[in-house]
Amino acid sequence: MNDAPIGIFDSGVGGLTVARAVSALLPQESILYIGDTARSPYGPKPIADVRRYALEVLDDLVAQGVKMLVIACNTASAAMLRDARERYDVPVVEVINPAVRTAMSTTRNGRVGVIGTAGTISSGAYQDMLGVNERLTVFAQACPRFVEFVEAGVTGSPEVLAVAEEYLAPLRAADVDTLVLGCTHYPFLEGAISYVMGPDVSLVSSDSETAKDVYRQLVSRDLLAGPAAEPRHVYEATGASADEFLRLAHRLMGREVTDVRLVQTGAIDLPRASNPARRLG
């Protein structure tokens, strides 16, 4: 048994979908979430920079005593997963493999689409993993503006639908029957994506599948929180305004996130919030 928190990291607010899924599956577990909002979005940035940014944040989580790391960012997972598993003594879970497994078991016609940030798509991470299955044909499409919409709290406007139509047209033409949402921000746009792709296309999101991987790792390593544990959820952001992160989290997830504090990680030099984060149960 281990009552230390699970550390969850994303470039911004997208990883909150993973945090929500982990909390729903493991309500007794504490969570420490960091969104690297100071340097979001990661998608357009060079892979070397993403690797450095991500490792700085993960170093901070490990220093705070987490018992597991969850890389809730597809771009970061593609950039530095192997580095993270070699660097840290705690188990590391990411979001790409769970989605790949689900897509492989879901597709009926063997034609799978993947959407993600420019960094994720150019890395070829999904294409390589899905390509191991010779019966699959993979079609990948970068959708960079999707993250911009989510980070701005815009999830259902006519502009979102118009951009979705543009991005997803090649995948519809390719007759994919399964579409992997290869970015943790994208579930917030699932309504628009599903509308454009149509009811016959199955959408695969990594949040719930990643939560199952977290559960398996905790059980196999005897790291589950004890029955008397008092779960606490703490949310941290590296950006200049904790209030802005909080506002956006409320808009996307309701009132689940009730307080955020600013943190300094690695080379980021930011003033800490004047009021410490409340420990949430």
Side-chain angles (χ1 to χ4, degrees), residues 102-103 106 113 115 168 176-181 186-187 189-195 197-206:
T102 302
T106 299
I115 57 175
L168 301 176
V176 303
D177 75 345
T178 301
L179 180 64
V180 178
L181 308 186
Y186 292 1
L189 301 177
E190 190 167 341
I193 295 169
S194 179
Y195 177 81
M197 293 302 298
D200 295 330
V201 176
S202 300
L203 303 186
V204 175
S205 177
S206 58

mmCIF file with all atom_site columns, all heavy atoms in Angstrom, residues 102-103 106 113 115 168 176-181 186-187 189-195 197-206:
data_model
loop_
_atom_site.group_PDB
_atom_site.id
_atom_site.type_symbol
_atom_site.label_atom_id
_atom_site.label_alt_id
_atom_site.label_comp_id
_atom_site.label_asym_id
_atom_site.label_entity_id
_atom_site.label_seq_id
_atom_site.pdbx_PDB_ins_code
_atom_site.Cartn_x
_atom_site.Cartn_y
_atom_site.Cartn_z
_atom_site.occupancy
_atom_site.B_iso_or_equiv
_atom_site.pdbx_formal_charge
_atom_site.auth_seq_id
_atom_site.auth_comp_id
_atom_site.auth_asym_id
_atom_site.auth_atom_id
_atom_site.pdbx_PDB_model_num
ATOM 1   N N   . THR A 1 102 ? -6.701  -0.215 -28.107 1.00 0.00 ? 102 THR A N   1
ATOM 2   C CA  . THR A 1 102 ? -8.151  -0.136 -28.279 1.00 0.00 ? 102 THR A CA  1
ATOM 3   C C   . THR A 1 102 ? -8.528  0.013  -29.746 1.00 0.00 ? 102 THR A C   1
ATOM 4   O O   . THR A 1 102 ? -9.485  -0.605 -30.222 1.00 0.00 ? 102 THR A O   1
ATOM 5   C CB  . THR A 1 102 ? -8.716  1.052  -27.473 1.00 0.00 ? 102 THR A CB  1
ATOM 6   O OG1 . THR A 1 102 ? -8.362  0.889  -26.091 1.00 0.00 ? 102 THR A OG1 1
ATOM 7   C CG2 . THR A 1 102 ? -10.226 1.120  -27.582 1.00 0.00 ? 102 THR A CG2 1
ATOM 8   N N   . ALA A 1 103 ? -7.779  0.824  -30.490 1.00 0.00 ? 103 ALA A N   1
ATOM 9   C CA  . ALA A 1 103 ? -8.071  1.004  -31.916 1.00 0.00 ? 103 ALA A CA  1
ATOM 10  C C   . ALA A 1 103 ? -7.920  -0.310 -32.664 1.00 0.00 ? 103 ALA A C   1
ATOM 11  O O   . ALA A 1 103 ? -8.737  -0.647 -33.539 1.00 0.00 ? 103 ALA A O   1
ATOM 12  C CB  . ALA A 1 103 ? -7.142  2.057  -32.505 1.00 0.00 ? 103 ALA A CB  1
ATOM 13  N N   . THR A 1 106 ? -10.910 -2.410 -32.085 1.00 0.00 ? 106 THR A N   1
ATOM 14  C CA  . THR A 1 106 ? -12.190 -1.790 -32.431 1.00 0.00 ? 106 THR A CA  1
ATOM 15  C C   . THR A 1 106 ? -12.479 -1.818 -33.917 1.00 0.00 ? 106 THR A C   1
ATOM 16  O O   . THR A 1 106 ? -13.620 -2.035 -34.341 1.00 0.00 ? 106 THR A O   1
ATOM 17  C CB  . THR A 1 106 ? -12.217 -0.325 -31.938 1.00 0.00 ? 106 THR A CB  1
ATOM 18  O OG1 . THR A 1 106 ? -12.065 -0.295 -30.523 1.00 0.00 ? 106 THR A OG1 1
ATOM 19  C CG2 . THR A 1 106 ? -13.528 0.356  -32.317 1.00 0.00 ? 106 THR A CG2 1
ATOM 20  N N   . GLY A 1 113 ? -7.916  5.957  -38.585 1.00 0.00 ? 113 GLY A N   1
ATOM 21  C CA  . GLY A 1 113 ? -7.431  7.323  -38.649 1.00 0.00 ? 113 GLY A CA  1
ATOM 22  C C   . GLY A 1 113 ? -6.848  7.760  -37.318 1.00 0.00 ? 113 GLY A C   1
ATOM 23  O O   . GLY A 1 113 ? -7.269  7.284  -36.264 1.00 0.00 ? 113 GLY A O   1
ATOM 24  N N   . ILE A 1 115 ? -5.691  11.470 -35.378 1.00 0.00 ? 115 ILE A N   1
ATOM 25  C CA  . ILE A 1 115 ? -5.531  12.921 -35.392 1.00 0.00 ? 115 ILE A CA  1
ATOM 26  C C   . ILE A 1 115 ? -4.736  13.333 -34.166 1.00 0.00 ? 115 ILE A C   1
ATOM 27  O O   . ILE A 1 115 ? -4.829  12.707 -33.107 1.00 0.00 ? 115 ILE A O   1
ATOM 28  C CB  . ILE A 1 115 ? -6.888  13.662 -35.449 1.00 0.00 ? 115 ILE A CB  1
ATOM 29  C CG1 . ILE A 1 115 ? -7.802  13.262 -34.278 1.00 0.00 ? 115 ILE A CG1 1
ATOM 30  C CG2 . ILE A 1 115 ? -7.580  13.415 -36.780 1.00 0.00 ? 115 ILE A CG2 1
ATOM 31  C CD1 . ILE A 1 115 ? -9.108  14.060 -34.221 1.00 0.00 ? 115 ILE A CD1 1
ATOM 32  N N   . LEU A 1 168 ? -10.893 16.894 -41.106 1.00 0.00 ? 168 LEU A N   1
ATOM 33  C CA  . LEU A 1 168 ? -11.323 15.498 -41.125 1.00 0.00 ? 168 LEU A CA  1
ATOM 34  C C   . LEU A 1 168 ? -11.762 15.008 -42.499 1.00 0.00 ? 168 LEU A C   1
ATOM 35  O O   . LEU A 1 168 ? -11.977 13.794 -42.689 1.00 0.00 ? 168 LEU A O   1
ATOM 36  C CB  . LEU A 1 168 ? -12.456 15.298 -40.115 1.00 0.00 ? 168 LEU A CB  1
ATOM 37  C CG  . LEU A 1 168 ? -12.107 15.659 -38.659 1.00 0.00 ? 168 LEU A CG  1
ATOM 38  C CD1 . LEU A 1 168 ? -13.328 15.516 -37.765 1.00 0.00 ? 168 LEU A CD1 1
ATOM 39  C CD2 . LEU A 1 168 ? -10.955 14.810 -38.135 1.00 0.00 ? 168 LEU A CD2 1
ATOM 40  N N   . VAL A 1 176 ? -12.183 5.589  -43.082 1.00 0.00 ? 176 VAL A N   1
ATOM 41  C CA  . VAL A 1 176 ? -11.792 5.002  -41.799 1.00 0.00 ? 176 VAL A CA  1
ATOM 42  C C   . VAL A 1 176 ? -13.045 4.673  -41.000 1.00 0.00 ? 176 VAL A C   1
ATOM 43  O O   . VAL A 1 176 ? -14.053 5.379  -41.081 1.00 0.00 ? 176 VAL A O   1
ATOM 44  C CB  . VAL A 1 176 ? -10.862 5.942  -41.000 1.00 0.00 ? 176 VAL A CB  1
ATOM 45  C CG1 . VAL A 1 176 ? -9.623  6.288  -41.803 1.00 0.00 ? 176 VAL A CG1 1
ATOM 46  C CG2 . VAL A 1 176 ? -11.587 7.211  -40.562 1.00 0.00 ? 176 VAL A CG2 1
ATOM 47  N N   . ASP A 1 177 ? -12.989 3.588  -40.225 1.00 0.00 ? 177 ASP A N   1
ATOM 48  C CA  . ASP A 1 177 ? -14.128 3.261  -39.369 1.00 0.00 ? 177 ASP A CA  1
ATOM 49  C C   . ASP A 1 177 ? -13.794 3.461  -37.897 1.00 0.00 ? 177 ASP A C   1
ATOM 50  O O   . ASP A 1 177 ? -14.641 3.305  -37.029 1.00 0.00 ? 177 ASP A O   1
ATOM 51  C CB  . ASP A 1 177 ? -14.616 1.833  -39.621 1.00 0.00 ? 177 ASP A CB  1
ATOM 52  C CG  . ASP A 1 177 ? -13.707 0.763  -39.029 1.00 0.00 ? 177 ASP A CG  1
ATOM 53  O OD1 . ASP A 1 177 ? -12.551 1.078  -38.666 1.00 0.00 ? 177 ASP A OD1 1
ATOM 54  O OD2 . ASP A 1 177 ? -14.150 -0.398 -38.938 1.00 0.00 ? 177 ASP A OD2 1
ATOM 55  N N   . THR A 1 178 ? -12.525 3.808  -37.634 1.00 0.00 ? 178 THR A N   1
ATOM 56  C CA  . THR A 1 178 ? -12.067 4.059  -36.262 1.00 0.00 ? 178 THR A CA  1
ATOM 57  C C   . THR A 1 178 ? -11.141 5.267  -36.295 1.00 0.00 ? 178 THR A C   1
ATOM 58  O O   . THR A 1 178 ? -10.256 5.342  -37.156 1.00 0.00 ? 178 THR A O   1
ATOM 59  C CB  . THR A 1 178 ? -11.311 2.835  -35.707 1.00 0.00 ? 178 THR A CB  1
ATOM 60  O OG1 . THR A 1 178 ? -12.178 1.692  -35.738 1.00 0.00 ? 178 THR A OG1 1
ATOM 61  C CG2 . THR A 1 178 ? -10.843 3.075  -34.281 1.00 0.00 ? 178 THR A CG2 1
ATOM 62  N N   . LEU A 1 179 ? -11.363 6.188  -35.376 1.00 0.00 ? 179 LEU A N   1
ATOM 63  C CA  . LEU A 1 179 ? -10.553 7.405  -35.332 1.00 0.00 ? 179 LEU A CA  1
ATOM 64  C C   . LEU A 1 179 ? -9.973  7.578  -33.934 1.00 0.00 ? 179 LEU A C   1
ATOM 65  O O   . LEU A 1 179 ? -10.710 7.668  -32.950 1.00 0.00 ? 179 LEU A O   1
ATOM 66  C CB  . LEU A 1 179 ? -11.392 8.632  -35.694 1.00 0.00 ? 179 LEU A CB  1
ATOM 67  C CG  . LEU A 1 179 ? -10.655 9.975  -35.673 1.00 0.00 ? 179 LEU A CG  1
ATOM 68  C CD1 . LEU A 1 179 ? -9.553  10.000 -36.729 1.00 0.00 ? 179 LEU A CD1 1
ATOM 69  C CD2 . LEU A 1 179 ? -11.627 11.128 -35.895 1.00 0.00 ? 179 LEU A CD2 1
ATOM 70  N N   . VAL A 1 180 ? -8.644  7.600  -33.860 1.00 0.00 ? 180 VAL A N   1
ATOM 71  C CA  . VAL A 1 180 ? -7.950  7.792  -32.586 1.00 0.00 ? 180 VAL A CA  1
ATOM 72  C C   . VAL A 1 180 ? -7.791  9.282  -32.332 1.00 0.00 ? 180 VAL A C   1
ATOM 73  O O   . VAL A 1 180 ? -7.228  10.012 -33.161 1.00 0.00 ? 180 VAL A O   1
ATOM 74  C CB  . VAL A 1 180 ? -6.558  7.122  -32.603 1.00 0.00 ? 180 VAL A CB  1
ATOM 75  C CG1 . VAL A 1 180 ? -5.833  7.384  -31.282 1.00 0.00 ? 180 VAL A CG1 1
ATOM 76  C CG2 . VAL A 1 180 ? -6.687  5.627  -32.869 1.00 0.00 ? 180 VAL A CG2 1
ATOM 77  N N   . LEU A 1 181 ? -8.284  9.735  -31.188 1.00 0.00 ? 181 LEU A N   1
ATOM 78  C CA  . LEU A 1 181 ? -8.090  11.124 -30.772 1.00 0.00 ? 181 LEU A CA  1
ATOM 79  C C   . LEU A 1 181 ? -6.730  11.196 -30.092 1.00 0.00 ? 181 LEU A C   1
ATOM 80  O O   . LEU A 1 181 ? -6.603  10.987 -28.886 1.00 0.00 ? 181 LEU A O   1
ATOM 81  C CB  . LEU A 1 181 ? -9.208  11.562 -29.821 1.00 0.00 ? 181 LEU A CB  1
ATOM 82  C CG  . LEU A 1 181 ? -10.649 11.321 -30.312 1.00 0.00 ? 181 LEU A CG  1
ATOM 83  C CD1 . LEU A 1 181 ? -11.652 11.954 -29.329 1.00 0.00 ? 181 LEU A CD1 1
ATOM 84  C CD2 . LEU A 1 181 ? -10.858 11.869 -31.709 1.00 0.00 ? 181 LEU A CD2 1
ATOM 85  N N   . TYR A 1 186 ? -8.445  16.668 -27.252 1.00 0.00 ? 186 TYR A N   1
ATOM 86  C CA  . TYR A 1 186 ? -9.484  16.440 -28.254 1.00 0.00 ? 186 TYR A CA  1
ATOM 87  C C   . TYR A 1 186 ? -10.803 15.894 -27.716 1.00 0.00 ? 186 TYR A C   1
ATOM 88  O O   . TYR A 1 186 ? -11.853 16.141 -28.326 1.00 0.00 ? 186 TYR A O   1
ATOM 89  C CB  . TYR A 1 186 ? -8.958  15.533 -29.369 1.00 0.00 ? 186 TYR A CB  1
ATOM 90  C CG  . TYR A 1 186 ? -7.880  16.147 -30.234 1.00 0.00 ? 186 TYR A CG  1
ATOM 91  C CD1 . TYR A 1 186 ? -7.396  17.442 -30.003 1.00 0.00 ? 186 TYR A CD1 1
ATOM 92  C CD2 . TYR A 1 186 ? -7.331  15.440 -31.291 1.00 0.00 ? 186 TYR A CD2 1
ATOM 93  C CE1 . TYR A 1 186 ? -6.399  17.986 -30.793 1.00 0.00 ? 186 TYR A CE1 1
ATOM 94  C CE2 . TYR A 1 186 ? -6.333  15.985 -32.095 1.00 0.00 ? 186 TYR A CE2 1
ATOM 95  C CZ  . TYR A 1 186 ? -5.870  17.257 -31.830 1.00 0.00 ? 186 TYR A CZ  1
ATOM 96  O OH  . TYR A 1 186 ? -4.883  17.797 -32.624 1.00 0.00 ? 186 TYR A OH  1
ATOM 97  N N   . PRO A 1 187 ? -10.827 15.129 -26.598 1.00 0.00 ? 187 PRO A N   1
ATOM 98  C CA  . PRO A 1 187 ? -12.129 14.697 -26.090 1.00 0.00 ? 187 PRO A CA  1
ATOM 99  C C   . PRO A 1 187 ? -13.083 15.854 -25.780 1.00 0.00 ? 187 PRO A C   1
ATOM 100 O O   . PRO A 1 187 ? -14.301 15.674 -25.822 1.00 0.00 ? 187 PRO A O   1
ATOM 101 C CB  . PRO A 1 187 ? -11.764 13.922 -24.815 1.00 0.00 ? 187 PRO A CB  1
ATOM 102 C CG  . PRO A 1 187 ? -10.414 13.366 -25.107 1.00 0.00 ? 187 PRO A CG  1
ATOM 103 C CD  . PRO A 1 187 ? -9.723  14.458 -25.882 1.00 0.00 ? 187 PRO A CD  1
ATOM 104 N N   . LEU A 1 189 ? -13.636 18.163 -27.696 1.00 0.00 ? 189 LEU A N   1
ATOM 105 C CA  . LEU A 1 189 ? -14.252 18.477 -28.994 1.00 0.00 ? 189 LEU A CA  1
ATOM 106 C C   . LEU A 1 189 ? -14.927 17.249 -29.588 1.00 0.00 ? 189 LEU A C   1
ATOM 107 O O   . LEU A 1 189 ? -15.227 17.215 -30.782 1.00 0.00 ? 189 LEU A O   1
ATOM 108 C CB  . LEU A 1 189 ? -13.190 19.005 -29.967 1.00 0.00 ? 189 LEU A CB  1
ATOM 109 C CG  . LEU A 1 189 ? -12.431 20.260 -29.548 1.00 0.00 ? 189 LEU A CG  1
ATOM 110 C CD1 . LEU A 1 189 ? -11.366 20.602 -30.577 1.00 0.00 ? 189 LEU A CD1 1
ATOM 111 C CD2 . LEU A 1 189 ? -13.378 21.432 -29.350 1.00 0.00 ? 189 LEU A CD2 1
ATOM 112 N N   . GLU A 1 190 ? -15.184 16.249 -28.763 1.00 0.00 ? 190 GLU A N   1
ATOM 113 C CA  . GLU A 1 190 ? -15.699 14.989 -29.273 1.00 0.00 ? 190 GLU A CA  1
ATOM 114 C C   . GLU A 1 190 ? -17.045 15.158 -29.977 1.00 0.00 ? 190 GLU A C   1
ATOM 115 O O   . GLU A 1 190 ? -17.336 14.459 -30.958 1.00 0.00 ? 190 GLU A O   1
ATOM 116 C CB  . GLU A 1 190 ? -15.837 13.977 -28.135 1.00 0.00 ? 190 GLU A CB  1
ATOM 117 C CG  . GLU A 1 190 ? -16.129 12.580 -28.601 1.00 0.00 ? 190 GLU A CG  1
ATOM 118 C CD  . GLU A 1 190 ? -15.953 11.544 -27.499 1.00 0.00 ? 190 GLU A CD  1
ATOM 119 O OE1 . GLU A 1 190 ? -15.270 11.853 -26.498 1.00 0.00 ? 190 GLU A OE1 1
ATOM 120 O OE2 . GLU A 1 190 ? -16.483 10.438 -27.655 1.00 0.00 ? 190 GLU A OE2 1
ATOM 121 N N   . GLY A 1 191 ? -17.876 16.080 -29.507 1.00 0.00 ? 191 GLY A N   1
ATOM 122 C CA  . GLY A 1 191 ? -19.160 16.303 -30.153 1.00 0.00 ? 191 GLY A CA  1
ATOM 123 C C   . GLY A 1 191 ? -18.998 16.730 -31.602 1.00 0.00 ? 191 GLY A C   1
ATOM 124 O O   . GLY A 1 191 ? -19.625 16.159 -32.508 1.00 0.00 ? 191 GLY A O   1
ATOM 125 N N   . ALA A 1 192 ? -18.147 17.721 -31.833 1.00 0.00 ? 192 ALA A N   1
ATOM 126 C CA  . ALA A 1 192 ? -17.923 18.216 -33.191 1.00 0.00 ? 192 ALA A CA  1
ATOM 127 C C   . ALA A 1 192 ? -17.250 17.152 -34.057 1.00 0.00 ? 192 ALA A C   1
ATOM 128 O O   . ALA A 1 192 ? -17.619 16.951 -35.225 1.00 0.00 ? 192 ALA A O   1
ATOM 129 C CB  . ALA A 1 192 ? -17.063 19.476 -33.158 1.00 0.00 ? 192 ALA A CB  1
ATOM 130 N N   . ILE A 1 193 ? -16.273 16.449 -33.499 1.00 0.00 ? 193 ILE A N   1
ATOM 131 C CA  . ILE A 1 193 ? -15.561 15.418 -34.263 1.00 0.00 ? 193 ILE A CA  1
ATOM 132 C C   . ILE A 1 193 ? -16.503 14.291 -34.647 1.00 0.00 ? 193 ILE A C   1
ATOM 133 O O   . ILE A 1 193 ? -16.512 13.820 -35.791 1.00 0.00 ? 193 ILE A O   1
ATOM 134 C CB  . ILE A 1 193 ? -14.355 14.898 -33.459 1.00 0.00 ? 193 ILE A CB  1
ATOM 135 C CG1 . ILE A 1 193 ? -13.322 16.007 -33.263 1.00 0.00 ? 193 ILE A CG1 1
ATOM 136 C CG2 . ILE A 1 193 ? -13.717 13.685 -34.153 1.00 0.00 ? 193 ILE A CG2 1
ATOM 137 C CD1 . ILE A 1 193 ? -12.225 15.669 -32.267 1.00 0.00 ? 193 ILE A CD1 1
ATOM 138 N N   . SER A 1 194 ? -17.319 13.842 -33.710 1.00 0.00 ? 194 SER A N   1
ATOM 139 C CA  . SER A 1 194 ? -18.268 12.776 -33.988 1.00 0.00 ? 194 SER A CA  1
ATOM 140 C C   . SER A 1 194 ? -19.296 13.198 -35.026 1.00 0.00 ? 194 SER A C   1
ATOM 141 O O   . SER A 1 194 ? -19.664 12.416 -35.916 1.00 0.00 ? 194 SER A O   1
ATOM 142 C CB  . SER A 1 194 ? -18.970 12.349 -32.698 1.00 0.00 ? 194 SER A CB  1
ATOM 143 O OG  . SER A 1 194 ? -19.916 11.337 -32.944 1.00 0.00 ? 194 SER A OG  1
ATOM 144 N N   . TYR A 1 195 ? -19.758 14.430 -34.926 1.00 0.00 ? 195 TYR A N   1
ATOM 145 C CA  . TYR A 1 195 ? -20.736 14.939 -35.896 1.00 0.00 ? 195 TYR A CA  1
ATOM 146 C C   . TYR A 1 195 ? -20.167 14.920 -37.314 1.00 0.00 ? 195 TYR A C   1
ATOM 147 O O   . TYR A 1 195 ? -20.842 14.493 -38.261 1.00 0.00 ? 195 TYR A O   1
ATOM 148 C CB  . TYR A 1 195 ? -21.143 16.360 -35.512 1.00 0.00 ? 195 TYR A CB  1
ATOM 149 C CG  . TYR A 1 195 ? -22.099 17.003 -36.490 1.00 0.00 ? 195 TYR A CG  1
ATOM 150 C CD1 . TYR A 1 195 ? -23.458 16.725 -36.440 1.00 0.00 ? 195 TYR A CD1 1
ATOM 151 C CD2 . TYR A 1 195 ? -21.634 17.880 -37.460 1.00 0.00 ? 195 TYR A CD2 1
ATOM 152 C CE1 . TYR A 1 195 ? -24.334 17.312 -37.343 1.00 0.00 ? 195 TYR A CE1 1
ATOM 153 C CE2 . TYR A 1 195 ? -22.493 18.471 -38.367 1.00 0.00 ? 195 TYR A CE2 1
ATOM 154 C CZ  . TYR A 1 195 ? -23.846 18.182 -38.307 1.00 0.00 ? 195 TYR A CZ  1
ATOM 155 O OH  . TYR A 1 195 ? -24.712 18.763 -39.207 1.00 0.00 ? 195 TYR A OH  1
ATOM 156 N N   . MET A 1 197 ? -17.528 13.141 -38.473 1.00 0.00 ? 197 MET A N   1
ATOM 157 C CA  . MET A 1 197 ? -17.143 11.809 -38.947 1.00 0.00 ? 197 MET A CA  1
ATOM 158 C C   . MET A 1 197 ? -18.350 10.912 -39.188 1.00 0.00 ? 197 MET A C   1
ATOM 159 O O   . MET A 1 197 ? -18.287 9.992  -40.006 1.00 0.00 ? 197 MET A O   1
ATOM 160 C CB  . MET A 1 197 ? -16.198 11.139 -37.942 1.00 0.00 ? 197 MET A CB  1
ATOM 161 C CG  . MET A 1 197 ? -14.842 11.812 -37.818 1.00 0.00 ? 197 MET A CG  1
ATOM 162 S SD  . MET A 1 197 ? -13.930 11.913 -39.386 1.00 0.00 ? 197 MET A SD  1
ATOM 163 C CE  . MET A 1 197 ? -13.706 10.184 -39.802 1.00 0.00 ? 197 MET A CE  1
ATOM 164 N N   . GLY A 1 198 ? -19.444 11.147 -38.477 1.00 0.00 ? 198 GLY A N   1
ATOM 165 C CA  . GLY A 1 198 ? -20.639 10.346 -38.668 1.00 0.00 ? 198 GLY A CA  1
ATOM 166 C C   . GLY A 1 198 ? -20.756 9.217  -37.668 1.00 0.00 ? 198 GLY A C   1
ATOM 167 O O   . GLY A 1 198 ? -19.774 8.825  -37.024 1.00 0.00 ? 198 GLY A O   1
ATOM 168 N N   . PRO A 1 199 ? -21.970 8.661  -37.522 1.00 0.00 ? 199 PRO A N   1
ATOM 169 C CA  . PRO A 1 199 ? -22.231 7.672  -36.467 1.00 0.00 ? 199 PRO A CA  1
ATOM 170 C C   . PRO A 1 199 ? -21.563 6.326  -36.671 1.00 0.00 ? 199 PRO A C   1
ATOM 171 O O   . PRO A 1 199 ? -21.499 5.519  -35.734 1.00 0.00 ? 199 PRO A O   1
ATOM 172 C CB  . PRO A 1 199 ? -23.767 7.534  -36.510 1.00 0.00 ? 199 PRO A CB  1
ATOM 173 C CG  . PRO A 1 199 ? -24.142 7.903  -37.917 1.00 0.00 ? 199 PRO A CG  1
ATOM 174 C CD  . PRO A 1 199 ? -23.172 8.977  -38.312 1.00 0.00 ? 199 PRO A CD  1
ATOM 175 N N   . ASP A 1 200 ? -21.077 6.039  -37.869 1.00 0.00 ? 200 ASP A N   1
ATOM 176 C CA  . ASP A 1 200 ? -20.473 4.725  -38.122 1.00 0.00 ? 200 ASP A CA  1
ATOM 177 C C   . ASP A 1 200 ? -18.982 4.670  -37.802 1.00 0.00 ? 200 ASP A C   1
ATOM 178 O O   . ASP A 1 200 ? -18.358 3.608  -37.939 1.00 0.00 ? 200 ASP A O   1
ATOM 179 C CB  . ASP A 1 200 ? -20.682 4.329  -39.590 1.00 0.00 ? 200 ASP A CB  1
ATOM 180 C CG  . ASP A 1 200 ? -22.154 4.119  -39.929 1.00 0.00 ? 200 ASP A CG  1
ATOM 181 O OD1 . ASP A 1 200 ? -22.912 3.722  -39.026 1.00 0.00 ? 200 ASP A OD1 1
ATOM 182 O OD2 . ASP A 1 200 ? -22.534 4.371  -41.088 1.00 0.00 ? 200 ASP A OD2 1
ATOM 183 N N   . VAL A 1 201 ? -18.420 5.793  -37.399 1.00 0.00 ? 201 VAL A N   1
ATOM 184 C CA  . VAL A 1 201 ? -16.995 5.835  -37.067 1.00 0.00 ? 201 VAL A CA  1
ATOM 185 C C   . VAL A 1 201 ? -16.831 5.832  -35.549 1.00 0.00 ? 201 VAL A C   1
ATOM 186 O O   . VAL A 1 201 ? -17.395 6.682  -34.849 1.00 0.00 ? 201 VAL A O   1
ATOM 187 C CB  . VAL A 1 201 ? -16.313 7.084  -37.667 1.00 0.00 ? 201 VAL A CB  1
ATOM 188 C CG1 . VAL A 1 201 ? -14.846 7.159  -37.224 1.00 0.00 ? 201 VAL A CG1 1
ATOM 189 C CG2 . VAL A 1 201 ? -16.414 7.055  -39.183 1.00 0.00 ? 201 VAL A CG2 1
ATOM 190 N N   . SER A 1 202 ? -16.083 4.878  -35.042 1.00 0.00 ? 202 SER A N   1
ATOM 191 C CA  . SER A 1 202 ? -15.827 4.774  -33.606 1.00 0.00 ? 202 SER A CA  1
ATOM 192 C C   . SER A 1 202 ? -14.677 5.695  -33.216 1.00 0.00 ? 202 SER A C   1
ATOM 193 O O   . SER A 1 202 ? -13.620 5.664  -33.856 1.00 0.00 ? 202 SER A O   1
ATOM 194 C CB  . SER A 1 202 ? -15.470 3.330  -33.228 1.00 0.00 ? 202 SER A CB  1
ATOM 195 O OG  . SER A 1 202 ? -16.520 2.450  -33.539 1.00 0.00 ? 202 SER A OG  1
ATOM 196 N N   . LEU A 1 203 ? -14.891 6.497  -32.189 1.00 0.00 ? 203 LEU A N   1
ATOM 197 C CA  . LEU A 1 203 ? -13.840 7.373  -31.687 1.00 0.00 ? 203 LEU A CA  1
ATOM 198 C C   . LEU A 1 203 ? -13.139 6.703  -30.516 1.00 0.00 ? 203 LEU A C   1
ATOM 199 O O   . LEU A 1 203 ? -13.788 6.199  -29.594 1.00 0.00 ? 203 LEU A O   1
ATOM 200 C CB  . LEU A 1 203 ? -14.427 8.714  -31.244 1.00 0.00 ? 203 LEU A CB  1
ATOM 201 C CG  . LEU A 1 203 ? -15.213 9.510  -32.291 1.00 0.00 ? 203 LEU A CG  1
ATOM 202 C CD1 . LEU A 1 203 ? -15.594 10.879 -31.728 1.00 0.00 ? 203 LEU A CD1 1
ATOM 203 C CD2 . LEU A 1 203 ? -14.433 9.664  -33.586 1.00 0.00 ? 203 LEU A CD2 1
ATOM 204 N N   . VAL A 1 204 ? -11.816 6.711  -30.538 1.00 0.00 ? 204 VAL A N   1
ATOM 205 C CA  . VAL A 1 204 ? -11.011 6.110  -29.477 1.00 0.00 ? 204 VAL A CA  1
ATOM 206 C C   . VAL A 1 204 ? -10.278 7.223  -28.751 1.00 0.00 ? 204 VAL A C   1
ATOM 207 O O   . VAL A 1 204 ? -9.458  7.932  -29.341 1.00 0.00 ? 204 VAL A O   1
ATOM 208 C CB  . VAL A 1 204 ? -10.003 5.087  -30.038 1.00 0.00 ? 204 VAL A CB  1
ATOM 209 C CG1 . VAL A 1 204 ? -9.096  4.579  -28.924 1.00 0.00 ? 204 VAL A CG1 1
ATOM 210 C CG2 . VAL A 1 204 ? -10.734 3.936  -30.709 1.00 0.00 ? 204 VAL A CG2 1
ATOM 211 N N   . SER A 1 205 ? -10.578 7.374  -27.480 1.00 0.00 ? 205 SER A N   1
ATOM 212 C CA  . SER A 1 205 ? -9.919  8.380  -26.645 1.00 0.00 ? 205 SER A CA  1
ATOM 213 C C   . SER A 1 205 ? -9.072  7.670  -25.607 1.00 0.00 ? 205 SER A C   1
ATOM 214 O O   . SER A 1 205 ? -9.471  6.626  -25.074 1.00 0.00 ? 205 SER A O   1
ATOM 215 C CB  . SER A 1 205 ? -10.963 9.264  -25.963 1.00 0.00 ? 205 SER A CB  1
ATOM 216 O OG  . SER A 1 205 ? -10.359 10.190 -25.108 1.00 0.00 ? 205 SER A OG  1
ATOM 217 N N   . SER A 1 206 ? -7.921  8.227  -25.316 1.00 0.00 ? 206 SER A N   1
ATOM 218 C CA  . SER A 1 206 ? -6.970  7.514  -24.453 1.00 0.00 ? 206 SER A CA  1
ATOM 219 C C   . SER A 1 206 ? -7.240  7.682  -22.966 1.00 0.00 ? 206 SER A C   1
ATOM 220 O O   . SER A 1 206 ? -6.635  6.972  -22.163 1.00 0.00 ? 206 SER A O   1
ATOM 221 C CB  . SER A 1 206 ? -5.542  7.993  -24.755 1.00 0.00 ? 206 SER A CB  1
ATOM 222 O OG  . SER A 1 206 ? -5.447  9.393  -24.568 1.00 0.00 ? 206 SER A OG  1
#
